[in-house]
Amino acid sequence: MASTYAVWELTLACNLGCVHCGSRAGEARADELTTAEALDLVRQMAEVGVAEVTLIGGEAFLRADWLEIVAAIRAAGMGCSVTTGGYGISATTARKMRKAGVQQVSVSIDGLPATHDWLRGKQGSWREAMQAMQRLQEARIAVTCNTQINRLSAPELVMIYEDILRAGARAWQMALTVPMGRAAEQPEILLQPAELLELYPLLAELAERADADGMLFMPGNNIGYYGPYERLLRRAQSVDGAEAIWDGCQAGISSIGIEADGAIKGCPSLPTAPYVGGNIRTHTLREILETRALNINAGMGTAQGAAHLWGFCATCEYAELCRGGCTWTAHVFFGQAGNNPYCHHRALVQERNGVRERLVQVMTAQGTPFDHGRFEIVLESAEASTAGFTRDAVLRSRPVEFSILR
């Protein structure tokens, strides 16, 4: 098995305190890889055929040797990009990134200033992110953006798009916020499945605008699934003119995730304990890949590959192709994969049946990186009252005030 794309958490240290951070970043892990171990991992990735590495955190640039690692990645013939909150990237840092070989940087923008600053846990973080985009472009590094979609950011998506378009973003990637890490302590900000019926027409409009404006529109792995806008939303992912649709989780097939202590997962977002295939301190990367320890999608595209499905997903006509959508999303809601509540097709079917699903938290998270709580699905009449995904409604539901919004 050869994975072509790696997402590498260089450190868990971070200068932000994001409310929705799945890894609960802030302090560095106690046993993060040494420089020598990290450089050896770079060598191993090149040997097994990894073509591109995205460096994340925490905040990758808080690791003192990070530019040495970037340079090694590029010297080994692999592409190198960075995902960042953008807080503290000076013009000097941007120039050093360019010199080391960083080719592209994705800056997180999660709302208008007040919403973004609250979600990112630090006042002024929106302004810093926008300044980082400008400094990176001045250093001749391609800049893209990523956005978490939740009940605070969803009403602001049009304005977010306009902001990042003006700021020069070449692409926009987005994902639905799920209850991992600190987000598991904020269930009121999570979209309810029926709210997807409002969200997807909006995303379709934004995808059309992005196409006209020359910006790549990139839905994450927990967005979509066989609704009327599937091909439109995934148009930027088309290959050789063929229309793209979701064709199942790629964790451990074309991608791997690397934690700062050397743990290897099939996807960087997955909870650690259930999905770690090994650690490069005890096994080589090739050994971890060749033992199929990461292959949580065995038998993909077959009935065997859909055998783990349960609930609605087990009854779905797309089961064999979809295999339950995003493994990460299902697991952090229910403690197991195979039943994904964030599915457009599913919400449409429930609407036709006159019902809707509501996610109710029944267990809190433990307080460790990549942890999650537990939710149950309540089936109710489609006519039941709801606050909708309006920012003001969510703010009113909070038991404490948002300090930066006073």
Side-chain angles (χ1 to χ4, degrees):
M1 177 185 126
S3 295
T4 59
Y5 179 55
V7 180
W8 186 357
E9 172 202 281
L10 276 191
T11 178
L12 210 54
C14 192
N15 55 11
L16 296 174
C18 301
V19 167
H20 49 2
C21 180
S23 63
R24 298 182 181 269
E27 298 295 325
R29 295 180 188 269
D31 53 353
E32 295 184 352
L33 297 179
T34 66
T35 300
E37 288 172 327
L39 295 177
D40 186 65
L41 178 55
V42 171
R43 176 189 61 79
Q44 292 185 54
M45 284 192 288
E47 286 181 351
V48 300
V50 171
E52 181 180 356
V53 182
T54 294
L55 302 179
I56 64 171
E59 188 61 80
F61 67 76
L62 294 181
R63 182 174 165 126
D65 60 357
W66 84 292
L67 291 177
E68 183 179 356
I69 295 169
V70 170
I73 291 169
R74 299 292 289 123
M78 295 179 285
C80 185
S81 60
V82 176
T83 297
T84 177
Y87 197 96
I89 295 181
S90 66
T92 299
T93 298
R95 289 192 294 270
K96 289 180 178 179
M97 292 167 69
R98 167 72 181 185
K99 184 177 180 180
V102 173
Q103 298 163 292
Q104 178 178 295
V105 176
S106 180
V107 179
S108 300
I109 302 292
D110 286 327
L112 298 180
T115 299
H116 177 97
D117 284 2
W118 185 78
L119 285 168
R120 291 277 153 183
K122 185 171 289 188
Q123 193 155 12
S125 58
W126 183 90
R127 181 182 65 251
E128 285 276 333
M130 287 294 175
Q131 288 175 345
M133 292 178 66
Q134 179 181 347
R135 292 164 181 160
L136 290 162
Q137 289 174 93
E138 289 171 351
R140 294 179 292 118
I141 297 175
V143 173
T144 66
C145 285
N146 62 85
T147 297
Q148 288 268 323
I149 301 178
N150 50 58
R151 299 182 79 214
L152 293 180
S153 64
E156 299 178 355
L157 285 172
V158 172
M159 290 79 82
I160 294 171
Y161 173 77
E162 292 169 350
D163 282 342
I164 66 174
L165 180 66
R166 284 192 297 268
R170 297 186 183 184
W172 188 22
Q173 185 172 40
M174 57 197 65
L176 301 176
T177 302
V178 300
M180 173 180 271
R182 295 191 193 108
E185 298 166 0
Q186 311 287 341
E188 66 278 0
I189 76 171
L190 303 175
L191 287 173
Q192 289 292 340
E195 291 172 323
L196 299 178
L197 300 174
E198 298 178 64
L199 175 66
Y200 282 113
L202 173 60
L203 292 185
E205 291 179 15
L206 288 170
E208 292 279 23
R209 288 186 60 180
D211 188 58
D213 291 329
M215 181 191 292
L216 288 176
F217 186 92
M218 303 290 290
N221 290 335
N222 68 355
I223 286 180
Y225 313 136
Y226 315 113
Y229 311 114
E230 177 75 5
R231 288 174 172 79
L232 169 61
L233 294 178
R234 300 194 185 281
R235 184 158 54 190
Q237 300 169 4
S238 301
V239 178
D240 297 330
E243 291 187 321
I245 61 171
W246 171 259
D247 60 354
C249 175
Q250 295 298 302
I253 297 174
S254 61
S255 66
I256 58 171
I258 306 167
E259 295 187 358
D261 61 0
I264 308 296
K265 304 182 292 189
C267 166
S269 299
L270 289 169
T272 302
Y275 294 104
V276 165
N279 191 296
I280 60 103
R281 283 175 164 150
T282 55
H283 298 85
T284 68
L285 183 58
R286 185 178 298 278
E287 287 172 343
I288 294 170
L289 296 178
E290 289 181 349
T291 59
R292 301 177 63 84
L294 301 183
N295 195 348
I296 60 175
N297 294 298
M300 62 177 297
T302 67
Q304 175 191 355
H308 67 294
L309 301 184
W310 58 281
F312 180 94
C313 289
T315 70
C316 181
E317 61 265 44
Y318 297 109
E320 189 171 316
L321 175 63
C322 178
R323 305 190 318 282
C326 173
T327 301
W328 163 56
T329 300
H331 193 108
V332 298
F333 269 113
F334 305 124
Q336 61 178 314
N339 188 25
N340 187 343
Y342 277 172
C343 168
H344 195 196
H345 169 71
R346 176 174 180 157
L348 288 166
V349 170
Q350 302 290 31
E351 182 186 43
R352 288 196 295 269
N353 292 335
V355 296
R356 69 180 188 191
E357 295 176 321
R358 180 162 53 88
L359 297 163
V360 178
Q361 190 171 31
V362 295
M363 188 181 78
T364 58
Q366 306 95 314
T368 57
F370 296 101
D371 64 349
H372 57 89
R374 192 72 59 85
F375 286 70
E376 291 182 352
I377 296 174
V378 174
L379 203 62
E380 58 190 15
S381 167
E383 303 302 318
S385 62
T386 180
F389 63 76
T390 65
R391 179 174 172 275
D392 289 344
V394 176
L395 294 179
R396 286 195 300 270
S397 75
R398 291 286 301 162
V400 295
E401 293 184 30
F402 295 114
S403 59
I404 68 166
L405 299 178
R406 292 175 187 166

